[in-house]
Amino acid sequence: AGADIQKILSDADRFANLGMADKAVELIEEAVAKAPESVEARLRLKQMYLDGGLIEKAAAQANALADLY
């Protein structure tokens, strides 16, 4: 599952770099759904939400990250 998550996150990076933030967020949300314990996926999702001004969603990811620790 770890390799799958890395591939999804890599694909999300490509979309983000192409200015396709919505698609990147969609992929990262998929990664989090598949591996809710993935700190890396949750950190990226939190940052994408922050970048998009989705403060409440970012806060939810921050809380989920805190619960992982």
Side-chain angles (χ1 to χ4, degrees):
D4 290 343
I5 299 307
Q6 287 305 314
K7 177 166 182 354
I8 293 169
L9 294 177
S10 177
D11 290 346
D13 285 345
R14 281 196 282 283
F15 281 111
N17 290 336
L18 293 170
M20 300 171 68
D22 289 348
K23 182 64 177 170
V25 167
E26 187 179 305
L27 287 172
I28 300 169
E29 287 173 340
E30 177 185 330
V32 169
K34 286 184 176 185
E37 75 288 350
S38 172
V39 171
E40 182 180 4
R42 287 192 179 275
L43 282 171
R44 292 207 200 172
L45 187 55
K46 178 182 70 73
Q47 190 57 54
M48 291 297 295
Y49 285 155
L50 281 176
D51 292 348
L54 301 170
I55 304 305
E56 288 181 15
K57 286 188 171 192
Q61 289 306 312
N63 287 334
L65 283 160
D67 289 345
L68 289 174
Y69 288 102

